[in-house]
Amino acid sequence: MTEPRRRGDLARRLVAPAGALAALATAVVGWWSAVVALRWARAATHVARFGLRLVTLRAYRRCPDCLRVLRREALVCRSCGARRG
């Protein structure tokens, strides 16, 4: 005849698998939140760069020959010698 099961027997048997499942779920959620945080940081960087380009748009221009960044007031490119026409 089998011995009747005690009340905490099943709970003791499920502790290890439940702990492993919780650890796995924590690792997956942590990894996913890191991925999302990196995506948001990357998007914020792109927005900041775009804003910087908008702000400096009036102060700088590119040389038509060598594509170096020049001040808007420059008449001659220091790199290739192209003159502003």
Side-chain angles (χ1 to χ4, degrees):
M1 221 168 150
T2 62
E3 185 179 322
R5 291 188 179 180
R6 286 186 237 147
R7 188 171 190 188
D9 194 27
L10 181 63
R12 261 183 265 132
R13 230 185 278 166
L14 293 178
V15 166
L21 186 62
L24 178 66
T26 303
V28 168
V29 168
W31 175 78
W32 183 248
S33 52
V35 167
V36 170
L38 286 174
R39 285 183 185 171
W40 277 96
R42 196 175 196 188
T45 303
H46 288 298
V47 169
R49 284 183 182 169
F50 180 72
L52 182 63
R53 282 190 210 128
L54 276 178
V55 168
T56 60
L57 181 65
R58 295 174 190 253
Y60 296 99
R61 67 179 177 88
R62 291 218 176 248
C63 174
D65 291 339
C66 65
L67 298 178
R68 288 262 175 140
V69 177
L70 305 172
R71 287 197 169 271
R72 177 81 47 201
E73 308 88 34
L75 299 176
V76 179
C77 176
R78 292 171 50 187
S79 167
C80 67
R83 295 194 171 272
R84 187 174 185 182

